[in-house]
Amino acid sequence: MSSSGQTQFRYTQTPSKVVHLRNLPWECVEEELIDLCKRFGKIVNTKSNVGANRNQAFVEFADLNQAISMVSYYASSSEPAQIRGKTVYIQYSNRHEIVNNQSPGDVPGNVLLVTFEGVESHEVSIDVIHLVFSAFGFVHKIATFEKAAGFQALVQFSDVETASAARNALDSRSIPRYLLPEHVGSCNLRMSYSAHTDLNIKFQSHRSRDYTNPYLPVNHTAMDGSMQPALDADGKKVESQSNVLLGLIENMQYAVTVDVLHTVFSAYGAVQKIAIFEKNGSTQALIQYSDIATAAIAKEALEGHCIYDGGYCKLRLSYSRHTDLNVKAFSDKSRDYTLPDLSLMVAQKAAGVSASAPAGWQNPQVQTQYGGGYGGSPYMYPSSDPNGASPSGHPPPYYG
């Protein structure tokens, strides 16, 4: 028995048809293992790159005698087993078969986890990602992010088959150079399957897209692919528009109800829904129009104006990220005017307000300069006419 053979084997082990190989070269592949072992018999399974240093492997033969033949051969040979010129130590495994327990990344799914190697997050746009993966089928959603592994993305397809086709074709491949910035040398793709099945995309931006929902709110300040907010010609931040306005009511000395807000905001178009809520100690409201253009007109006209004279209940308006409010049809804090049965109730309610304003609004100090307020109501509209005319043609009422 050679001394070199004595350092490679344990003689007290029970023979097994699974052979354990140690001291393998870095990233030893299955083909190299098979090439070393195939002359001793039929190989039915392998498991490589195991252990803390990923330099161990297991090879399972179809028959126990085949494994014994290999171990015995190298135990008595003066020439050790080698792969890429590196000595490989061989012994019987304690296991009797190789069970390839799939990691979550190996279990096929309809969502791919993609790692972009060799690039920073700003160097591969979400549009390029969509273009590359759309070659294999309709891409439902994309979400990009940065982790310890680098710049990554989750790409959702409709089914496992389409995702598998994309993975098989693109894994370990590079994004075409013409799709990358000039200074980027290459971008390699590494893929595995994600445990996700349906990504939750909250809004469209340069970091996330939902191609199945055209009505999802758009984060315009992030659509240019930079982390900086969009600026106008004067260097001011451009606000992302929406058909829903968020109103903060300042100096609220008198009651502001759903009916009050409906009367004020209806001067500029049909209001679909209203919701009033308390946040951070202040009263706020969401007012929904059918389109962005109407909301923009209302915002321009009402921003900074007061519902009551004397500077009370000043409106501070911005655009909400919401596009369709989910509110109770008829309550003290919300109203859905799109419901047919609600129209009559609102008309009757408005008539009641005109005939008799609520007690809290009858204080003479909150009457407008036109006595009963605009249209007989104790609150009034600011002018929507550049010449100062109010919606009904009356002279403009007071607004602070």
Side-chain angles (χ1 to χ4, degrees):
M1 185 69 62
S2 67
S3 59
S4 62
Q6 292 177 0
T7 62
Q8 294 187 60
F9 306 100
R10 298 180 191 168
Y11 300 105
T12 59
Q13 283 189 307
T14 303
S16 167
K17 62 180 180 179
V18 178
V19 175
H20 181 198
L21 298 89
R22 297 178 293 116
N23 198 44
L24 294 167
W26 175 250
E27 290 190 345
C28 181
V29 296
E30 183 182 44
E31 288 76 10
E32 292 175 301
L33 297 176
I34 293 175
D35 188 57
L36 175 67
C37 305
K38 63 183 180 181
R39 60 177 170 150
F40 299 100
K42 182 180 178 181
I43 298 170
V44 296
N45 206 352
T46 65
K47 189 178 182 68
S48 57
N49 296 316
V50 299
N53 297 319
R54 298 175 61 83
N55 64 346
Q56 301 180 48
F58 297 94
V59 175
E60 180 181 345
F61 286 94
D63 183 77
L64 176 63
N65 291 328
Q66 297 169 346
I68 293 174
S69 175
M70 179 178 181
V71 173
S72 300
Y73 174 82
Y74 285 111
S76 59
S77 174
S78 59
E79 296 294 331
Q82 291 187 336
I83 294 180
R84 289 188 234 158
K86 189 172 184 180
T87 297
V88 177
Y89 302 117
I90 302 172
Q91 64 192 45
Y92 295 116
S93 172
N94 293 325
R95 66 184 73 188
H96 297 286
E97 64 177 344
I98 296 176
V99 178
N100 289 318
N101 294 323
Q102 291 182 312
S103 66
D106 296 324
V107 178
N110 66 312
V111 179
L112 296 176
L113 173 62
V114 185
T115 301
F116 302 88
E117 297 180 339
V119 295
E120 301 294 332
S121 60
H122 65 276
E123 294 172 332
V124 179
S125 71
I126 198 167
D127 294 319
V128 167
I129 298 172
H130 181 256
L131 179 64
V132 170
F133 284 88
S134 290
F136 303 91
F138 177 64
V139 174
H140 284 217
K141 302 174 184 179
I142 298 176
T144 64
F145 48 91
E146 294 180 74
K147 294 283 188 179
F151 179 45
Q152 295 182 302
L154 290 169
V155 181
Q156 178 180 329
F157 289 97
S158 58
D159 51 61
V160 176
E161 291 73 18
T162 308
S164 297
R167 185 192 183 196
N168 293 337
L170 295 174
D171 191 22
S172 301
R173 300 290 295 275
S174 298
I175 293 178
R177 282 285 298 109
Y178 67 86
L179 294 177
L180 300 172
E182 293 183 359
H183 66 277
V184 176
S186 64
C187 174
N188 298 320
L189 304 176
R190 298 291 182 185
M191 297 185 206
S192 60
Y193 294 105
S194 169
H196 293 283
T197 57
D198 189 17
L199 304 179
N200 181 21
I201 306 298
K202 295 182 179 179
F203 54 87
Q204 316 282 23
S205 75
H206 77 289
R207 302 300 297 265
S208 61
R209 296 283 172 85
D210 183 345
Y211 301 97
T212 68
N213 184 4
Y215 303 106
L216 199 65
V218 176
N219 184 353
H220 289 288
T221 60
M223 291 300 287
D224 62 352
S226 70
M227 295 303 291
Q228 300 298 322
L231 305 176
D232 61 16
D234 298 325
K236 296 181 179 179
K237 183 177 177 181
V238 177
E239 187 178 12
S240 176
Q241 292 185 316
S242 168
N243 65 311
V244 178
L245 296 178
L246 172 63
L248 172 64
I249 304 173
E250 297 179 343
N251 195 20
M252 189 170 166
Q253 299 296 318
Y254 303 101
V256 175
T257 65
V258 172
D259 292 316
V260 170
L261 292 176
H262 183 260
T263 304
V264 171
F265 284 87
S266 290
Y268 306 95
V271 173
Q272 292 185 329
K273 300 176 184 179
I274 294 177
I276 299 176
F277 56 97
E278 301 292 325
K279 185 175 182 180
N280 298 329
S282 64
T283 299
Q284 300 185 33
L286 290 167
I287 301 94
Q288 177 179 327
Y289 289 99
S290 60
D291 54 72
I292 294 176
T294 306
I297 293 172
K299 179 179 182 295
E300 180 70 21
L302 292 170
E303 165 59 28
H305 294 302
C306 299
I307 297 176
Y308 298 96
D309 64 358
Y312 299 121
C313 302
K314 179 178 287 189
L315 294 172
R316 293 299 183 188
L317 300 175
S318 61
Y319 293 106
S320 170
R321 276 169 39 186
H322 293 283
T323 57
D324 189 14
L325 303 179
N326 182 17
V327 300
K328 291 183 178 180
F330 196 93
S331 74
D332 292 339
K333 295 294 185 180
S334 65
R335 206 67 53 84
D336 185 346
Y337 302 95
T338 64
L339 300 178
D341 295 338
L342 197 62
S343 301
L344 181 60
M345 297 175 64
V346 172
Q348 293 172 343
K349 183 85 171 179
V353 169
S354 298
S356 175
W361 300 336
Q362 294 176 1
N363 187 320
Q365 293 182 343
V366 301
Q367 300 300 305
T368 73
Q369 61 181 346
Y370 300 103
Y374 182 82
S377 131
Y379 36 84
M380 52 280 184
Y381 308 115
S383 172
S384 60
D385 188 300
N387 297 319
S390 62
S392 67
H394 294 293
Y398 173 85
Y399 49 93

